[in-house]
Amino acid sequence: MSVFEDITYEIDGPAAVITIDRPHRYNAFRGKTVEELIKAFRAAWADSRVSAIILTGAGEKAFCTGGDVKQRAETGDYGPTESGMFEIGNLHKLIRDITKPVIAAVNGVAVGGGHVLHVLCDLTIASENARFGQAGPKVGSFDAGFGSAFLARVVGEKRAREIWYLCRQYDAATAERWGLVNWVVPQDKLLEEAKAIAAEIAEKSPTAIKFLKQSFNADTDHQAGLSNLAMSALDLFGKSDEGLEGAKAFAEKRPADFAKFVKA
């Protein structure tokens, strides 16, 4: 098994627990983080001991706050990777394609690309202090693939547009009411409950679970094409003056000035 820097990986009974371990950046991911997550998910897929995967974040403040905007402001990208690519789109597809259920255990804030990750997971369990929302348009970013199209399948068109257009944050009770999460539990019970859910899944036929997951995904698999287009567009947009304005404003702790980019 690889030695990881940005994540931790452990097997606990029938569950593989993958933890984004960058609490100093509110578990925001850089290119290296994404590569390590892909390696961990593939390891869990291949491990016959694993019936379900739990994805969570280190500490109590954040599940994941998406791409590391400070890194992008400093270098114009998400840092070096082994492949030379920022593979967030491949991570999204892997969470869907892995034949074992993925449980998001949301401890704290899940915003931006971190919000997309939990939405893509099969199930979400949230701590009472969890908060959900999007930040992309505030920092010069977006996810016009799974992050928006699939979100609309989860919460409906009106709610999905609200989440993206307004960039507000919503508490765990609201997220549960909207169907954005399955359960809300006390902070100190979060991983315990996630592992209990994984144990329940482990009692079921793995082949039946595999076919069910693939069947659920079949209805929205066409969104992978949208995701490819969206990631290509985001790569171009992120290098534009408008995209860089959002990242610079975030790093400089000032409001972004997008007024000059408004077009007829």
Side-chain angles (χ1 to χ4, degrees):
M1 189 66 204
S2 301
V3 176
F4 296 122
E5 180 181 345
D6 286 8
I7 72 168
T8 62
Y9 178 88
E10 64 174 329
I11 305 298
D12 189 331
V17 183
I18 301 172
T19 306
I20 303 172
D21 191 18
R22 303 187 76 222
H24 62 292
R25 290 285 177 98
Y26 289 89
N27 296 322
F29 51 73
R30 55 181 176 168
K32 182 181 183 68
T33 318
V34 172
E35 282 193 329
E36 291 185 356
L37 287 168
I38 288 172
K39 288 179 181 178
F41 271 100
R42 286 176 174 163
W45 195 340
D47 194 330
S48 60
R49 297 173 295 172
V50 174
S51 297
I53 299 95
I54 297 169
L55 177 64
T56 192
E60 298 181 355
K61 292 183 178 180
F63 168 73
C64 177
T65 53
D68 192 333
V69 182
K70 286 186 178 180
Q71 170 84 46
R72 188 158 69 91
E74 292 164 3
T75 65
D77 59 20
Y78 289 106
T81 61
E82 291 179 12
S83 67
M85 298 184 293
F86 181 53
E87 299 197 60
I88 189 64
N90 288 333
L91 176 60
H92 290 173
K93 294 180 182 68
L94 181 56
I95 290 172
R96 285 172 59 86
D97 290 345
I98 188 170
T99 55
K100 302 170 182 182
V102 182
I103 304 161
V106 179
N107 49 314
V109 178
V111 299
H115 188 262
V116 175
L117 290 181
H118 106 82
V119 169
L120 285 169
C121 291
D122 296 276
L123 302 169
T124 296
I125 180 169
S127 63
E128 291 172 336
N129 70 320
R131 296 189 68 82
F132 301 85
Q134 266 307 327
K138 290 176 66 174
V139 296
S141 184
F142 58 83
D143 186 332
F146 285 122
S148 51
F150 186 67
L151 176 64
R153 291 295 184 98
V154 175
V155 298
E157 286 277 351
K158 294 289 187 179
R159 291 298 188 193
R161 290 171 192 254
E162 174 186 335
I163 289 168
W164 273 101
Y165 293 171
L166 302 184
C167 297
R168 294 174 177 173
Q169 289 189 17
Y170 305 91
D171 62 24
T174 301
E176 185 179 29
R177 189 173 73 251
W178 287 3
L180 193 57
V181 307
N182 298 89
W183 306 275
V184 178
V185 300
Q187 170 75 40
D188 60 353
K189 299 291 186 182
L190 181 65
L191 273 182
E192 178 185 330
E193 292 295 330
K195 290 174 184 177
I197 293 164
E200 278 194 66
I201 291 170
E203 296 171 351
K204 312 302 187 295
S205 160
T207 303
I209 295 291
K210 172 183 176 179
F211 277 111
L212 284 166
K213 179 163 182 175
Q214 290 174 338
S215 178
F216 286 128
N217 286 349
D219 184 50
T220 51
D221 272 346
H222 66 282
Q223 292 177 357
L226 294 175
S227 181
N228 290 336
L229 286 169
M231 292 303 166
S232 295
L234 181 58
D235 185 53
L236 291 173
F237 177 70
K239 297 179 177 67
S240 70
D241 290 341
E242 185 177 349
L244 290 172
E245 164 61 17
K248 289 176 182 176
F250 180 86
E252 295 167 6
K253 298 182 179 179
R254 61 171 174 83
D257 180 12
F258 290 121
K260 59 187 174 183
F261 301 108
V262 176
K263 299 177 179 64

